[in-house]
């Protein structure tokens, strides 16, 4: 299983950060265009809540569409939320999003644990392709958020 950790500090208020990140509609904006990310849920709402199901289509390899479904399992207002895959490309997906008010803005921390299916074959695909792709998504996200909110 992989455990990845990412941080970013933004010069915005905790309220502004929470408003942006807790709205599922904003996921597309912070996902690289080549991923072909589309939220397909019709009733996901504008504000995240525990028990919320969010469905997507993502095209991570050769434009082949994959259906992905996550559940928001935990939410503590303006502190953190957790999404877990219910079905999709991973055998396991658990993503924590933490927000802490700091001097000059907000510190965001992402803790991601994931595992690909297919035992050692999944481990090989992860080491050759997926791990770098996941890290690239967070690099892109950091760039887009810096452009949008400043650094």
């Amino acid at each position: 299983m992989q455990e990845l950790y990412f941080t970013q500090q933004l010069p915005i208020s905790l309220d502004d950060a929470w408003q942006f990140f807790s709205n599922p509609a904003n996921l597309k904006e912070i996902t690289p265009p080549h991923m072909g990310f589309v939220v397909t849920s019709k009733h996901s709402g504008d504000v995240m809540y525990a028990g919320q199901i969010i469905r997507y289509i993502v095209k991570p390899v050769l434009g082949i569409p994959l259906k992905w479904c996550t559940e928001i399992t935990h939410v503590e207002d303006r502190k953190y939320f957790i999404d877990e895959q219910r079905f999709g490309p991973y055998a396991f997906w658990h993503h924590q999003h933490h927000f802490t008010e700091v001097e000059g803005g907000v510190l965001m921390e992402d803790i991601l644990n994931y595992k690909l299916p297919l035992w050692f074959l999944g481990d090989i695909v992860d080491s050759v392709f997926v791990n770098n792709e996941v890290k690239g998504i967070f690099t892109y996200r950091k760039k887009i958020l810096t452009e949008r909110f400043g650094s």
Side-chain angles (χ1 to χ4, degrees):
M1 182 176 314
Q2 293 289 341
E3 181 174 0
L4 301 175
Y5 177 75
F6 305 95
T7 64
Q8 183 170 9
Q9 187 168 332
L10 294 173
I12 60 175
S13 71
L14 180 58
D15 288 338
D16 288 344
W18 185 259
Q19 182 178 4
F20 181 81
F21 289 99
S22 67
N23 183 338
N26 291 328
L27 284 169
K28 182 178 175 84
E29 181 179 341
I30 60 174
T31 302
H34 76 272
M35 298 290 291
F37 185 88
V38 177
V39 176
T40 59
S41 302
K42 294 181 180 165
H43 306 288
S44 64
D46 294 334
V47 177
M48 216 162 269
Y49 57 88
Q52 183 178 29
I53 298 294
I54 307 171
R55 294 187 324 267
Y56 326 88
I57 292 179
V58 64
K59 300 175 184 176
V61 180
L62 302 173
I64 300 168
L66 297 174
K67 292 182 179 180
W68 195 0
C69 177
T70 59
E71 178 182 357
I72 305 303
T73 58
H74 299 80
V75 176
E76 188 166 340
D77 188 48
R78 298 180 315 160
K79 291 189 179 183
Y80 73 93
F81 64 88
I82 298 172
D83 64 89
E84 297 181 6
Q85 176 186 282
R86 291 298 172 242
F87 67 83
Y90 296 89
F92 181 85
W93 176 275
H94 183 272
H95 183 188
Q96 302 175 48
H97 310 253
H98 294 268
F99 303 86
T100 306
E101 194 166 28
V102 295
E103 186 175 332
V106 64
L107 174 65
M108 301 181 317
E109 298 171 283
D110 288 277
I111 303 168
L112 174 60
N113 288 274
Y114 75 87
K115 175 88 172 122
L116 292 179
L118 303 175
W119 299 295
F120 72 92
L121 294 175
D123 292 343
I124 293 169
V125 171
D126 183 51
S127 66
V128 171
F129 176 71
V130 174
N131 190 268
N132 287 332
E133 186 70 22
V134 170
K135 289 175 182 175
I137 291 167
F138 281 90
T139 299
Y140 177 84
R141 185 171 290 183
K142 192 170 202 169
K143 175 184 172 285
I144 294 300
L145 292 171
T146 299
E147 289 172 2
R148 181 183 174 107
F149 297 115
S151 58

mmCIF file with all atom_site columns, all heavy atoms in Angstrom, residues 76-92:
data_model
loop_
_atom_site.group_PDB
_atom_site.id
_atom_site.type_symbol
_atom_site.label_atom_id
_atom_site.label_alt_id
_atom_site.label_comp_id
_atom_site.label_asym_id
_atom_site.label_entity_id
_atom_site.label_seq_id
_atom_site.pdbx_PDB_ins_code
_atom_site.Cartn_x
_atom_site.Cartn_y
_atom_site.Cartn_z
_atom_site.occupancy
_atom_site.B_iso_or_equiv
_atom_site.pdbx_formal_charge
_atom_site.auth_seq_id
_atom_site.auth_comp_id
_atom_site.auth_asym_id
_atom_site.auth_atom_id
_atom_site.pdbx_PDB_model_num
ATOM 1   N N   . GLU A 1 76 ? -15.570 17.093 9.449   1.00 0.00 ? 76 GLU A N   1
ATOM 2   C CA  . GLU A 1 76 ? -15.625 18.006 10.588  1.00 0.00 ? 76 GLU A CA  1
ATOM 3   C C   . GLU A 1 76 ? -15.439 19.395 10.001  1.00 0.00 ? 76 GLU A C   1
ATOM 4   O O   . GLU A 1 76 ? -14.371 19.707 9.457   1.00 0.00 ? 76 GLU A O   1
ATOM 5   C CB  . GLU A 1 76 ? -14.554 17.698 11.626  1.00 0.00 ? 76 GLU A CB  1
ATOM 6   C CG  . GLU A 1 76 ? -14.775 18.544 12.868  1.00 0.00 ? 76 GLU A CG  1
ATOM 7   C CD  . GLU A 1 76 ? -13.987 18.104 14.075  1.00 0.00 ? 76 GLU A CD  1
ATOM 8   O OE1 . GLU A 1 76 ? -13.543 16.941 14.126  1.00 0.00 ? 76 GLU A OE1 1
ATOM 9   O OE2 . GLU A 1 76 ? -13.810 18.953 14.966  1.00 0.00 ? 76 GLU A OE2 1
ATOM 10  N N   . ASP A 1 77 ? -16.502 20.182 10.079  1.00 0.00 ? 77 ASP A N   1
ATOM 11  C CA  . ASP A 1 77 ? -16.575 21.484 9.429   1.00 0.00 ? 77 ASP A CA  1
ATOM 12  C C   . ASP A 1 77 ? -15.319 22.309 9.631   1.00 0.00 ? 77 ASP A C   1
ATOM 13  O O   . ASP A 1 77 ? -14.877 22.525 10.763  1.00 0.00 ? 77 ASP A O   1
ATOM 14  C CB  . ASP A 1 77 ? -17.799 22.241 9.963   1.00 0.00 ? 77 ASP A CB  1
ATOM 15  C CG  . ASP A 1 77 ? -18.056 23.523 9.199   1.00 0.00 ? 77 ASP A CG  1
ATOM 16  O OD1 . ASP A 1 77 ? -18.050 23.476 7.959   1.00 0.00 ? 77 ASP A OD1 1
ATOM 17  O OD2 . ASP A 1 77 ? -18.257 24.570 9.856   1.00 0.00 ? 77 ASP A OD2 1
ATOM 18  N N   . ARG A 1 78 ? -14.751 22.736 8.500   1.00 0.00 ? 78 ARG A N   1
ATOM 19  C CA  . ARG A 1 78 ? -13.566 23.589 8.440   1.00 0.00 ? 78 ARG A CA  1
ATOM 20  C C   . ARG A 1 78 ? -12.328 22.972 9.084   1.00 0.00 ? 78 ARG A C   1
ATOM 21  O O   . ARG A 1 78 ? -11.371 23.669 9.376   1.00 0.00 ? 78 ARG A O   1
ATOM 22  C CB  . ARG A 1 78 ? -13.856 24.968 9.019   1.00 0.00 ? 78 ARG A CB  1
ATOM 23  C CG  . ARG A 1 78 ? -14.919 25.704 8.245   1.00 0.00 ? 78 ARG A CG  1
ATOM 24  C CD  . ARG A 1 78 ? -15.245 27.052 8.759   1.00 0.00 ? 78 ARG A CD  1
ATOM 25  N NE  . ARG A 1 78 ? -15.392 27.005 10.205  1.00 0.00 ? 78 ARG A NE  1
ATOM 26  C CZ  . ARG A 1 78 ? -15.303 28.051 10.995  1.00 0.00 ? 78 ARG A CZ  1
ATOM 27  N NH1 . ARG A 1 78 ? -15.080 29.225 10.492  1.00 0.00 ? 78 ARG A NH1 1
ATOM 28  N NH2 . ARG A 1 78 ? -15.446 27.926 12.288  1.00 0.00 ? 78 ARG A NH2 1
ATOM 29  N N   . LYS A 1 79 ? -12.326 21.640 9.272   1.00 0.00 ? 79 LYS A N   1
ATOM 30  C CA  . LYS A 1 79 ? -11.145 20.962 9.805   1.00 0.00 ? 79 LYS A CA  1
ATOM 31  C C   . LYS A 1 79 ? -10.656 19.863 8.867   1.00 0.00 ? 79 LYS A C   1
ATOM 32  O O   . LYS A 1 79 ? -9.489  19.831 8.514   1.00 0.00 ? 79 LYS A O   1
ATOM 33  C CB  . LYS A 1 79 ? -11.424 20.385 11.187  1.00 0.00 ? 79 LYS A CB  1
ATOM 34  C CG  . LYS A 1 79 ? -11.601 21.452 12.234  1.00 0.00 ? 79 LYS A CG  1
ATOM 35  C CD  . LYS A 1 79 ? -11.663 20.875 13.612  1.00 0.00 ? 79 LYS A CD  1
ATOM 36  C CE  . LYS A 1 79 ? -11.809 22.030 14.592  1.00 0.00 ? 79 LYS A CE  1
ATOM 37  N NZ  . LYS A 1 79 ? -11.816 21.598 15.964  1.00 0.00 ? 79 LYS A NZ  1
ATOM 38  N N   . TYR A 1 80 ? -11.550 18.947 8.482   1.00 0.00 ? 80 TYR A N   1
ATOM 39  C CA  . TYR A 1 80 ? -11.120 17.865 7.599   1.00 0.00 ? 80 TYR A CA  1
ATOM 40  C C   . TYR A 1 80 ? -12.328 17.164 6.994   1.00 0.00 ? 80 TYR A C   1
ATOM 41  O O   . TYR A 1 80 ? -13.447 17.275 7.491   1.00 0.00 ? 80 TYR A O   1
ATOM 42  C CB  . TYR A 1 80 ? -10.244 16.846 8.326   1.00 0.00 ? 80 TYR A CB  1
ATOM 43  C CG  . TYR A 1 80 ? -10.990 15.959 9.286   1.00 0.00 ? 80 TYR A CG  1
ATOM 44  C CD1 . TYR A 1 80 ? -11.483 14.722 8.860   1.00 0.00 ? 80 TYR A CD1 1
ATOM 45  C CD2 . TYR A 1 80 ? -11.216 16.340 10.601  1.00 0.00 ? 80 TYR A CD2 1
ATOM 46  C CE1 . TYR A 1 80 ? -12.177 13.902 9.721   1.00 0.00 ? 80 TYR A CE1 1
ATOM 47  C CE2 . TYR A 1 80 ? -11.904 15.532 11.471  1.00 0.00 ? 80 TYR A CE2 1
ATOM 48  C CZ  . TYR A 1 80 ? -12.390 14.307 11.028  1.00 0.00 ? 80 TYR A CZ  1
ATOM 49  O OH  . TYR A 1 80 ? -13.085 13.500 11.895  1.00 0.00 ? 80 TYR A OH  1
ATOM 50  N N   . PHE A 1 81 ? -12.061 16.453 5.913   1.00 0.00 ? 81 PHE A N   1
ATOM 51  C CA  . PHE A 1 81 ? -13.013 15.484 5.390   1.00 0.00 ? 81 PHE A CA  1
ATOM 52  C C   . PHE A 1 81 ? -12.228 14.322 4.789   1.00 0.00 ? 81 PHE A C   1
ATOM 53  O O   . PHE A 1 81 ? -11.042 14.451 4.476   1.00 0.00 ? 81 PHE A O   1
ATOM 54  C CB  . PHE A 1 81 ? -14.015 16.096 4.394   1.00 0.00 ? 81 PHE A CB  1
ATOM 55  C CG  . PHE A 1 81 ? -13.428 16.641 3.122   1.00 0.00 ? 81 PHE A CG  1
ATOM 56  C CD1 . PHE A 1 81 ? -13.245 15.844 2.005   1.00 0.00 ? 81 PHE A CD1 1
ATOM 57  C CD2 . PHE A 1 81 ? -13.076 17.991 3.037   1.00 0.00 ? 81 PHE A CD2 1
ATOM 58  C CE1 . PHE A 1 81 ? -12.727 16.361 0.826   1.00 0.00 ? 81 PHE A CE1 1
ATOM 59  C CE2 . PHE A 1 81 ? -12.552 18.514 1.870   1.00 0.00 ? 81 PHE A CE2 1
ATOM 60  C CZ  . PHE A 1 81 ? -12.385 17.704 0.762   1.00 0.00 ? 81 PHE A CZ  1
ATOM 61  N N   . ILE A 1 82 ? -12.900 13.193 4.690   1.00 0.00 ? 82 ILE A N   1
ATOM 62  C CA  . ILE A 1 82 ? -12.267 11.979 4.181   1.00 0.00 ? 82 ILE A CA  1
ATOM 63  C C   . ILE A 1 82 ? -13.133 11.411 3.065   1.00 0.00 ? 82 ILE A C   1
ATOM 64  O O   . ILE A 1 82 ? -14.354 11.279 3.236   1.00 0.00 ? 82 ILE A O   1
ATOM 65  C CB  . ILE A 1 82 ? -12.088 10.928 5.297   1.00 0.00 ? 82 ILE A CB  1
ATOM 66  C CG1 . ILE A 1 82 ? -11.162 11.473 6.389   1.00 0.00 ? 82 ILE A CG1 1
ATOM 67  C CG2 . ILE A 1 82 ? -11.550 9.608  4.718   1.00 0.00 ? 82 ILE A CG2 1
ATOM 68  C CD1 . ILE A 1 82 ? -11.069 10.595 7.623   1.00 0.00 ? 82 ILE A CD1 1
ATOM 69  N N   . ASP A 1 83 ? -12.492 11.079 1.939   1.00 0.00 ? 83 ASP A N   1
ATOM 70  C CA  . ASP A 1 83 ? -13.205 10.356 0.892   1.00 0.00 ? 83 ASP A CA  1
ATOM 71  C C   . ASP A 1 83 ? -12.597 8.973  0.739   1.00 0.00 ? 83 ASP A C   1
ATOM 72  O O   . ASP A 1 83 ? -11.385 8.803  0.835   1.00 0.00 ? 83 ASP A O   1
ATOM 73  C CB  . ASP A 1 83 ? -13.216 11.133 -0.434  1.00 0.00 ? 83 ASP A CB  1
ATOM 74  C CG  . ASP A 1 83 ? -11.853 11.341 -1.042  1.00 0.00 ? 83 ASP A CG  1
ATOM 75  O OD1 . ASP A 1 83 ? -11.414 10.472 -1.826  1.00 0.00 ? 83 ASP A OD1 1
ATOM 76  O OD2 . ASP A 1 83 ? -11.221 12.378 -0.753  1.00 0.00 ? 83 ASP A OD2 1
ATOM 77  N N   . GLU A 1 84 ? -13.482 7.991  0.535   1.00 0.00 ? 84 GLU A N   1
ATOM 78  C CA  . GLU A 1 84 ? -13.077 6.610  0.341   1.00 0.00 ? 84 GLU A CA  1
ATOM 79  C C   . GLU A 1 84 ? -13.738 6.074  -0.921  1.00 0.00 ? 84 GLU A C   1
ATOM 80  O O   . GLU A 1 84 ? -14.917 6.330  -1.156  1.00 0.00 ? 84 GLU A O   1
ATOM 81  C CB  . GLU A 1 84 ? -13.497 5.749  1.528   1.00 0.00 ? 84 GLU A CB  1
ATOM 82  C CG  . GLU A 1 84 ? -12.831 6.145  2.831   1.00 0.00 ? 84 GLU A CG  1
ATOM 83  C CD  . GLU A 1 84 ? -13.248 5.272  4.003   1.00 0.00 ? 84 GLU A CD  1
ATOM 84  O OE1 . GLU A 1 84 ? -13.973 4.273  3.798   1.00 0.00 ? 84 GLU A OE1 1
ATOM 85  O OE2 . GLU A 1 84 ? -12.846 5.594  5.135   1.00 0.00 ? 84 GLU A OE2 1
ATOM 86  N N   . GLN A 1 85 ? -12.978 5.351  -1.709  1.00 0.00 ? 85 GLN A N   1
ATOM 87  C CA  . GLN A 1 85 ? -13.529 4.746  -2.918  1.00 0.00 ? 85 GLN A CA  1
ATOM 88  C C   . GLN A 1 85 ? -14.507 3.641  -2.540  1.00 0.00 ? 85 GLN A C   1
ATOM 89  O O   . GLN A 1 85 ? -14.229 2.826  -1.664  1.00 0.00 ? 85 GLN A O   1
ATOM 90  C CB  . GLN A 1 85 ? -12.413 4.151  -3.772  1.00 0.00 ? 85 GLN A CB  1
ATOM 91  C CG  . GLN A 1 85 ? -12.943 3.426  -5.004  1.00 0.00 ? 85 GLN A CG  1
ATOM 92  C CD  . GLN A 1 85 ? -11.860 2.728  -5.762  1.00 0.00 ? 85 GLN A CD  1
ATOM 93  O OE1 . GLN A 1 85 ? -11.119 3.371  -6.488  1.00 0.00 ? 85 GLN A OE1 1
ATOM 94  N NE2 . GLN A 1 85 ? -11.737 1.425  -5.585  1.00 0.00 ? 85 GLN A NE2 1
ATOM 95  N N   . ARG A 1 86 ? -15.652 3.620  -3.231  1.00 0.00 ? 86 ARG A N   1
ATOM 96  C CA  . ARG A 1 86 ? -16.604 2.519  -3.084  1.00 0.00 ? 86 ARG A CA  1
ATOM 97  C C   . ARG A 1 86 ? -16.506 1.560  -4.261  1.00 0.00 ? 86 ARG A C   1
ATOM 98  O O   . ARG A 1 86 ? -16.692 0.373  -4.098  1.00 0.00 ? 86 ARG A O   1
ATOM 99  C CB  . ARG A 1 86 ? -18.029 3.049  -2.925  1.00 0.00 ? 86 ARG A CB  1
ATOM 100 C CG  . ARG A 1 86 ? -18.246 3.761  -1.608  1.00 0.00 ? 86 ARG A CG  1
ATOM 101 C CD  . ARG A 1 86 ? -18.011 2.774  -0.463  1.00 0.00 ? 86 ARG A CD  1
ATOM 102 N NE  . ARG A 1 86 ? -18.024 3.416  0.838   1.00 0.00 ? 86 ARG A NE  1
ATOM 103 C CZ  . ARG A 1 86 ? -16.986 3.435  1.662   1.00 0.00 ? 86 ARG A CZ  1
ATOM 104 N NH1 . ARG A 1 86 ? -15.839 2.857  1.312   1.00 0.00 ? 86 ARG A NH1 1
ATOM 105 N NH2 . ARG A 1 86 ? -17.062 4.018  2.827   1.00 0.00 ? 86 ARG A NH2 1
ATOM 106 N N   . PHE A 1 87 ? -16.262 2.076  -5.455  1.00 0.00 ? 87 PHE A N   1
ATOM 107 C CA  . PHE A 1 87 ? -15.858 1.244  -6.578  1.00 0.00 ? 87 PHE A CA  1
ATOM 108 C C   . PHE A 1 87 ? -15.051 2.093  -7.530  1.00 0.00 ? 87 PHE A C   1
ATOM 109 O O   . PHE A 1 87 ? -15.174 3.308  -7.552  1.00 0.00 ? 87 PHE A O   1
ATOM 110 C CB  . PHE A 1 87 ? -17.031 0.533  -7.271  1.00 0.00 ? 87 PHE A CB  1
ATOM 111 C CG  . PHE A 1 87 ? -17.986 1.444  -7.991  1.00 0.00 ? 87 PHE A CG  1
ATOM 112 C CD1 . PHE A 1 87 ? -17.731 1.891  -9.275  1.00 0.00 ? 87 PHE A CD1 1
ATOM 113 C CD2 . PHE A 1 87 ? -19.163 1.840  -7.383  1.00 0.00 ? 87 PHE A CD2 1
ATOM 114 C CE1 . PHE A 1 87 ? -18.618 2.732  -9.937  1.00 0.00 ? 87 PHE A CE1 1
ATOM 115 C CE2 . PHE A 1 87 ? -20.063 2.685  -8.039  1.00 0.00 ? 87 PHE A CE2 1
ATOM 116 C CZ  . PHE A 1 87 ? -19.793 3.130  -9.304  1.00 0.00 ? 87 PHE A CZ  1
ATOM 117 N N   . GLY A 1 88 ? -14.164 1.440  -8.282  1.00 0.00 ? 88 GLY A N   1
ATOM 118 C CA  . GLY A 1 88 ? -13.311 2.173  -9.203  1.00 0.00 ? 88 GLY A CA  1
ATOM 119 C C   . GLY A 1 88 ? -12.007 1.452  -9.431  1.00 0.00 ? 88 GLY A C   1
ATOM 120 O O   . GLY A 1 88 ? -11.907 0.242  -9.217  1.00 0.00 ? 88 GLY A O   1
ATOM 121 N N   . PRO A 1 89 ? -10.981 2.191  -9.841  1.00 0.00 ? 89 PRO A N   1
ATOM 122 C CA  . PRO A 1 89 ? -9.734  1.565  -10.293 1.00 0.00 ? 89 PRO A CA  1
ATOM 123 C C   . PRO A 1 89 ? -8.824  1.034  -9.187  1.00 0.00 ? 89 PRO A C   1
ATOM 124 O O   . PRO A 1 89 ? -7.875  0.314  -9.473  1.00 0.00 ? 89 PRO A O   1
ATOM 125 C CB  . PRO A 1 89 ? -9.038  2.687  -11.062 1.00 0.00 ? 89 PRO A CB  1
ATOM 126 C CG  . PRO A 1 89 ? -9.576  3.944  -10.464 1.00 0.00 ? 89 PRO A CG  1
ATOM 127 C CD  . PRO A 1 89 ? -10.993 3.636  -10.058 1.00 0.00 ? 89 PRO A CD  1
ATOM 128 N N   . TYR A 1 90 ? -9.096  1.370  -7.939  1.00 0.00 ? 90 TYR A N   1
ATOM 129 C CA  . TYR A 1 90 ? -8.202  0.976  -6.849  1.00 0.00 ? 90 TYR A CA  1
ATOM 130 C C   . TYR A 1 90 ? -8.814  -0.164 -6.037  1.00 0.00 ? 90 TYR A C   1
ATOM 131 O O   . TYR A 1 90 ? -10.037 -0.259 -5.900  1.00 0.00 ? 90 TYR A O   1
ATOM 132 C CB  . TYR A 1 90 ? -7.923  2.164  -5.918  1.00 0.00 ? 90 TYR A CB  1
ATOM 133 C CG  . TYR A 1 90 ? -7.175  3.277  -6.612  1.00 0.00 ? 90 TYR A CG  1
ATOM 134 C CD1 . TYR A 1 90 ? -7.854  4.290  -7.276  1.00 0.00 ? 90 TYR A CD1 1
ATOM 135 C CD2 . TYR A 1 90 ? -5.790  3.284  -6.634  1.00 0.00 ? 90 TYR A CD2 1
ATOM 136 C CE1 . TYR A 1 90 ? -7.165  5.292  -7.944  1.00 0.00 ? 90 TYR A CE1 1
ATOM 137 C CE2 . TYR A 1 90 ? -5.092  4.286  -7.297  1.00 0.00 ? 90 TYR A CE2 1
ATOM 138 C CZ  . TYR A 1 90 ? -5.784  5.286  -7.945  1.00 0.00 ? 90 TYR A CZ  1
ATOM 139 O OH  . TYR A 1 90 ? -5.098  6.262  -8.604  1.00 0.00 ? 90 TYR A OH  1
ATOM 140 N N   . ALA A 1 91 ? -7.951  -0.982 -5.449  1.00 0.00 ? 91 ALA A N   1
ATOM 141 C CA  . ALA A 1 91 ? -8.428  -1.980 -4.487  1.00 0.00 ? 91 ALA A CA  1
ATOM 142 C C   . ALA A 1 91 ? -8.743  -1.285 -3.168  1.00 0.00 ? 91 ALA A C   1
ATOM 143 O O   . ALA A 1 91 ? -9.636  -1.714 -2.422  1.00 0.00 ? 91 ALA A O   1
ATOM 144 C CB  . ALA A 1 91 ? -7.378  -3.064 -4.279  1.00 0.00 ? 91 ALA A CB  1
ATOM 145 N N   . PHE A 1 92 ? -8.013  -0.197 -2.885  1.00 0.00 ? 92 PHE A N   1
ATOM 146 C CA  . PHE A 1 92 ? -8.213  0.565  -1.651  1.00 0.00 ? 92 PHE A CA  1
ATOM 147 C C   . PHE A 1 92 ? -7.871  2.016  -1.935  1.00 0.00 ? 92 PHE A C   1
ATOM 148 O O   . PHE A 1 92 ? -6.864  2.303  -2.597  1.00 0.00 ? 92 PHE A O   1
ATOM 149 C CB  . PHE A 1 92 ? -7.294  0.018  -0.544  1.00 0.00 ? 92 PHE A CB  1
ATOM 150 C CG  . PHE A 1 92 ? -7.444  0.731  0.770   1.00 0.00 ? 92 PHE A CG  1
ATOM 151 C CD1 . PHE A 1 92 ? -8.435  0.358  1.663   1.00 0.00 ? 92 PHE A CD1 1
ATOM 152 C CD2 . PHE A 1 92 ? -6.592  1.767  1.110   1.00 0.00 ? 92 PHE A CD2 1
ATOM 153 C CE1 . PHE A 1 92 ? -8.579  1.013  2.876   1.00 0.00 ? 92 PHE A CE1 1
ATOM 154 C CE2 . PHE A 1 92 ? -6.726  2.426  2.319   1.00 0.00 ? 92 PHE A CE2 1
ATOM 155 C CZ  . PHE A 1 92 ? -7.724  2.048  3.211   1.00 0.00 ? 92 PHE A CZ  1
#
